[in-house]
Amino acid sequence: MILIAFIIRLLPMRFKYLLGYDPFFHLAYIRYAITHGWVNFFPYALGPWGFQVKLSHPLGLWMVPAFVYKLLHPFGVSLFNAFRLTPVIFGVLTVALVYTAVLRLYGRKEALLSSLILAVSFGHVFRSMAGYYRGDNYMLFWYSVALLGIALGLTWTPRRWGYERFALYLIPGIATGLSAIFWQAYYPIFAFVLANGVLLSIGAFLIGNDRRIVDGICVTLSTALGAVIANALGGIFGYGMTGYNKILGKELAKEFGLNFGFIKDAFLLLYLKYAVVLAVAVGITLLIVARFVRDWKTRLSLVAVVSLVAIAVFVHYWGVLQNLVDKVFHTAPIVETQRTGLRDLWTAYGLAFFAVPVFALSFRRKHLADYVILGLAVVSVPMLLIWTRFLFIGSIAVAVMAGVGLVAVYEKLKPLAVSKRLGALALTLIIAIVPATTAYTGFQNALSVRPIVNDNWATALHYLGNHSNLNDVVLTWWDEGHWVTYFAERAPVAQGSPSKFVADYYLGKVSERALMNLGVDYVIVSLDAVEKFEAILQTAGESGYAMVVLRPVSTPGVLTFSAPGYTVMATPGERWDVRVRIGNAWGIPAGVFVEKGKTVEEVPLRERPTLGAYVYINLNYGYAVLMNEKAFETPLAKLMFTNQYSSDYRLLYTDGGMVKIFRFVHPNVIVTAENGSIVLRFENATGTGIGIWGYLDNGTLIEGKWINVAKKRELIVSKYSNVSIIQYTYVKGKTVLDRGVFRIKDIITYENNRS
């Protein structure tokens, strides 16, 4: 089982690039930190301001791959490969810990089947596979540690003292606290363990094992210890997303009237103030009631009433929480925040998810382990149904419930078999269908995963990094921003989340003054952005634009490109014969642009236009783009498909149709170093003043002032050598001409290496 878990997660090691987008940023920062230390200010992200790590994830997210690298480097393992192996290590450890926990709670069969389902479920594999690095992998690992702690406590055989199990219940608390180091959204682990504890107490109450009610209370109290540990670690490694210095934390504090004191995280404060108190109160109430109420039906009725009250409280505050989440995540058109569908469930779990109800059928009223797992399910199953990104977080619940349920069904049906041998074999085959289909879908999906980035992007961004200044700022679609940070080591305007500014720019709704206000020096257009045109429209909140990518269709003697509802047919010549189908109507486009090699030109047409549509045909990569006039007039189209763009843009790099990089010509600040001093050189020196602000690495402003630079071509700023980071704003009167940020040490090192 462990070997299978390793194999499926190591499949992406055959690629030379990382998967997705976010891992590129994480590796870029780790690479930077290895040479600079665990600095807070990272100047090659979120231009023109720079990225402050303390306002993002806790440092543990990046420290772990660096530690793995230090361990494996003596054996010839590169940082790149150590980074890729890290999620695999923790994913497999999670599988092993779940096996051990279920083994203690149930038995060998349940443990083997549950851990096997988890090992091959793409729902767990896709965020713990080589090359895809995300923080929730750590949270689920620490939850598996917590679950093992609960399992050890429940199954511990009393020794000399007789109460050793209570010490074991410290493990869930320590695990929940340590999880705070590795991911800014670690909070679900508290809900999981709290639910484990509450359901454990309720289960003990229902089955009449009243002394075990205390076990549930101890598990709950251990999470209070976990909250204190998480708060303490937040002051060292950085707080989670509801920390006092984060947007969501401030919103929660405002909504609930919280005051940050010793506890500096809004979630932890609410958790200790309400969740733990209520959960302990429920446990104590059950202890008291258990002394007077012995009838099982009466106890069940009381539990039902408490459950209804809990549901009512949750529903009451759900709207508030939903509004706060919307403020942070907006309504961005990203895959991770889409509602989970049946296809998503099948992709993530195969038949395993549909076997989850079997757990209810096999539920044994007097088995406390069932209540512990039910606690996990009560929280995680609704989560995985809300957002697709929670399919990973819900994977342990699905695997354990399916595994335990299937074994229980097998044991119940086995005595009914007419022929013991044949019946047992038939039942085994039937039960095996679930993990088999899960394994099939898991391996199939793992094999189908491909890096999104490719050689075109890597080459283009390396070129940009070698032909631009360290302080230059790049505008590109937000998905690609992390690639800019990693390959070019330059600061993109947007990365990690959708940017309305970038979307508006691509649609022509951003002025040149607005570009200068953000210090933009380079603009990237790409086929990747064109293919995401609908997402650009959604992010900008615009409509009326149409831009469709068409793929080649084999047609003798004619260049034919097609997409659902659209066709472009073109016959080259001195005058091109080009016809376009939109729906059922054919016509002649208003203009056709053809790119071959690194040249784009508008070709003459045989017939007069009959449609207000424009066509771009790329002969290098074999695709075409059909757009309406409104889309054709956008900067995205003009820069990507034509040679008719503004003189404010100069082509820096093109690969002939995948990625194009343009330099935005404007009064610009070039940061260099001479004789150990920082020199700001002004290109197109029309500015009259520059504001310079010096910061310590922790974000503390040390000094800032405005300097008159009218008619000057450079400025020496050696007097700022006592600071680490400099932000600048170059202006003409009240108009911003350029902005940027840089680390002094980087500029000096860069210039020394060049010389």
Side-chain angles (χ1 to χ4, degrees):
M1 174 265 298
I2 296 297
L3 180 60
I4 293 172
F6 264 116
I7 291 173
I8 190 172
R9 285 163 179 77
L10 288 172
L11 289 175
M13 288 293 287
R14 68 191 192 275
F15 301 124
K16 67 177 182 178
Y17 297 118
L18 301 175
L19 304 176
Y21 303 100
D22 292 33
F24 287 92
F25 172 82
H26 297 316
L27 182 53
Y29 175 67
I30 293 168
R31 181 178 62 192
Y32 191 76
I34 285 176
T35 57
H36 291 74
W38 296 106
V39 294
N40 171 55
F41 245 111
F42 187 38
Y44 307 116
L46 296 182
W49 320 108
F51 177 82
Q52 291 199 55
V53 173
K54 69 179 183 181
L55 300 180
S56 179
H57 293 281
L59 280 174
L61 178 67
W62 300 291
M63 287 181 166
V64 176
F67 178 73
V68 173
Y69 168 63
K70 288 185 178 180
L71 282 179
L72 299 180
H73 180 61
F75 303 99
V77 178
S78 66
L79 174 61
F80 179 72
N81 283 329
F83 179 79
R84 294 201 291 173
L85 287 172
T86 301
V88 177
I89 293 170
F90 283 87
V92 174
L93 284 174
T94 301
V95 173
L97 287 165
V98 168
Y99 172 84
T100 309
V102 177
L103 180 66
R104 298 284 300 202
L105 291 172
Y106 292 96
R108 187 172 180 276
K109 292 178 183 178
E110 291 88 347
L112 187 60
L113 193 55
S114 298
S115 57
L116 177 61
I117 291 173
L118 182 63
V120 298
S121 291
F122 191 66
H124 186 265
V125 171
F126 84 112
R127 293 179 94 87
S128 61
M129 65 196 314
Y132 194 66
Y133 187 77
R134 303 299 293 269
D136 40 7
N137 192 16
Y138 293 114
M139 189 210 72
L140 221 53
F141 162 76
W142 285 112
Y143 175 71
S144 67
V145 174
L147 184 62
L148 178 58
I150 296 172
L152 290 172
L154 272 181
T155 58
W156 187 259
T157 302
R159 306 290 172 87
R160 179 181 301 177
W161 180 39
Y163 297 99
E164 296 91 348
R165 71 182 193 276
F166 294 123
L168 293 170
Y169 291 137
L170 291 173
I171 295 175
I174 295 171
T176 54
L178 290 177
S179 69
I181 299 176
F182 305 98
W183 187 38
Q184 66 172 344
Y186 64 91
Y187 307 106
I189 192 175
F190 281 91
F192 294 166
V193 179
L194 184 71
N196 291 147
V198 171
L199 266 292
L200 175 56
S201 291
I202 291 174
F205 176 74
L206 288 176
I207 68 177
N209 190 354
D210 296 341
R211 69 186 184 90
R212 289 291 189 175
I213 296 175
V214 179
D215 291 57
I217 296 174
C218 288
V219 171
T220 299
L221 288 174
S222 77
T223 65
L225 171 65
V228 174
I229 293 173
N231 180 69
L233 293 175
I236 301 171
F237 296 93
Y239 291 96
M241 65 193 306
T242 62
Y244 75 98
N245 56 344
K246 307 292 180 66
I247 294 174
L248 186 55
K250 294 175 182 178
E251 292 285 352
L252 280 170
K254 179 180 178 181
E255 190 69 37
F256 291 98
L258 303 176
N259 293 312
F260 295 111
F262 172 70
I263 302 297
K264 298 186 181 299
D265 185 290
F267 172 86
L268 297 178
L269 194 55
L270 287 169
Y271 183 78
L272 290 170
K273 191 174 182 180
Y274 297 109
V276 172
V277 172
L278 287 173
V280 171
V282 168
I284 293 174
T285 301
L286 292 175
L287 271 176
I288 296 172
V289 172
R291 296 175 63 89
F292 303 100
V293 179
R294 297 294 181 182
D295 180 60
W296 178 78
K297 291 184 179 180
T298 305
R299 289 189 173 195
L300 181 61
S301 299
L302 290 173
V303 169
V305 171
V306 173
S307 300
L308 289 173
V309 172
I311 292 172
V313 171
F314 178 79
V315 171
H316 175 74
Y317 285 106
W318 173 248
V320 175
L321 294 173
Q322 186 67 40
N323 288 336
L324 289 170
V325 171
D326 287 343
K327 286 181 181 180
V328 176
F329 294 102
H330 311 288
T331 54
I334 60 176
V335 174
E336 289 188 344
T337 56
Q338 301 302 308
R339 183 62 58 87
T340 305
L342 286 175
R343 177 172 293 183
D344 300 314
L345 293 171
W346 175 262
T347 300
Y349 310 121
L351 276 178
F353 181 80
F354 302 97
V356 166
V358 178
F359 178 79
L361 296 175
S362 65
F363 193 85
R364 290 167 286 179
R365 184 169 62 86
K366 293 190 177 183
H367 194 204
L368 285 175
D370 286 348
Y371 292 92
V372 173
I373 299 305
L374 184 61
L376 171 62
V378 164
V379 179
S380 60
V381 172
M383 286 180 67
L384 69 86
L385 294 174
I386 292 173
W387 276 358
T388 54
R389 79 160 297 157
F390 294 149
L391 289 167
F392 174 80
I393 290 176
S395 59
I396 289 182
V398 171
V400 175
M401 293 176 78
V404 171
L406 288 170
V407 171
V409 169
Y410 174 82
E411 295 296 339
K412 288 181 179 180
L413 295 180
K414 185 178 178 181
L416 301 179
V418 177
S419 170
K420 290 186 177 181
R421 291 186 178 179
L422 292 177
L425 179 60
L427 282 174
T428 301
L429 291 175
I430 292 172
I431 299 301
I433 289 175
V434 173
T437 57
T438 302
Y440 175 76
T441 57
F443 273 94
Q444 185 183 50
N445 287 308
L447 284 169
S448 67
V449 169
R450 294 285 187 278
I452 302 173
V453 78
N454 53 35
D455 289 343
N456 295 88
W457 274 99
T459 302
L461 294 177
H462 279 135
Y463 187 91
L464 173 62
N466 292 328
H467 294 81
S468 59
N469 305 301
L470 285 180
N471 59 304
D472 284 339
V473 177
V474 182
L475 183 147
T476 190
W477 186 235
W478 69 274
D479 278 342
E480 305 147 6
H482 291 325
W483 297 346
V484 173
T485 295
Y486 179 75
F487 289 109
E489 295 185 84
R490 298 294 180 266
V493 168
Q495 57 192 130
S497 61
S499 167
K500 189 176 187 304
F501 178 86
V502 176
D504 285 341
Y505 168 78
Y506 279 146
L507 297 179
K509 298 186 176 298
V510 168
S511 66
E512 293 174 358
R513 178 174 291 189
L515 282 183
M516 292 190 294
N517 190 53
L518 281 183
V520 173
D521 299 296
Y522 293 92
V523 171
I524 298 177
V525 291
S526 64
L527 179 60
D528 182 65
V530 172
E531 291 176 329
K532 296 170 181 173
F533 193 68
E534 284 301 316
I536 292 173
L537 294 178
Q538 291 179 47
T539 304
E542 296 289 340
S543 60
Y545 299 80
M547 185 179 292
V548 182
V549 178
L550 299 89
R551 298 301 177 182
V553 177
S554 179
T555 306
V558 181
L559 295 173
T560 304
F561 305 89
S562 180
Y566 304 96
T567 301
V568 170
M569 300 185 73
T571 303
E574 290 187 12
R575 289 185 172 273
W576 285 53
D577 182 10
V578 181
R579 300 180 184 276
V580 172
R581 179 183 66 85
I582 302 176
N584 294 322
W586 287 86
I588 311 300
V592 176
F593 292 81
V594 177
E595 183 159 8
K596 184 178 181 181
K598 296 185 178 180
T599 303
V600 181
E601 62 178 9
E602 184 175 11
V603 298
L605 301 178
R606 289 184 185 179
E607 301 182 38
R608 296 174 62 87
T610 60
L611 297 173
Y614 290 80
V615 173
Y616 164 79
I617 298 175
N618 189 287
L619 299 179
N620 299 315
Y621 299 100
Y623 71 90
V625 178
L626 177 63
M627 65 206 98
N628 64 5
E629 185 173 4
K630 194 172 182 180
F632 176 72
E633 295 298 331
T634 63
L636 176 61
K638 291 292 186 181
L639 293 173
M640 185 68 189
F641 306 136
T642 79
N643 53 4
Q644 300 175 359
Y645 44 82
S646 167
S647 59
D648 292 327
Y649 297 94
R650 293 178 185 172
L651 183 63
L652 174 74
Y653 175 88
T654 178
D655 59 8
M658 287 291 181
V659 184
K660 297 181 180 181
I661 304 174
F662 291 85
R663 183 183 177 197
F664 173 55
V665 181
H666 67 106
N668 187 32
V669 177
I670 300 173
V671 183
T672 61
E674 291 182 1
N675 301 320
S677 296
I678 297 297
V679 180
L680 306 183
R681 289 202 170 90
F682 308 122
E683 189 178 55
N684 299 329
T686 58
T688 56
I690 189 167
I692 299 178
W693 296 270
Y695 293 85
L696 296 179
D697 181 69
N698 63 10
T700 302
L701 177 63
I702 296 300
E703 184 178 357
K705 65 179 181 180
W706 286 92
I707 302 173
N708 188 333
V709 293
K711 298 182 180 180
K712 291 185 178 180
R713 294 188 176 276
E714 67 178 35
L715 176 69
I716 299 176
V717 290
S718 57
K719 63 184 297 182
Y720 287 88
S721 58
N722 61 321
V723 301
S724 298
I725 300 293
I726 288 181
Q727 290 180 344
Y728 62 85
T729 301
Y730 186 45
V731 299
K732 181 178 182 180
K734 295 183 178 181
T735 301
V736 175
L737 303 178
D738 193 27
R739 291 186 197 269
V741 62
F742 60 90
R743 182 180 294 275
I744 293 175
K745 179 181 176 181
D746 289 354
I747 299 298
I748 295 175
T749 301
Y750 179 74
E751 292 300 329
N752 287 340
N753 289 338
R754 289 180 61 184
S755 60

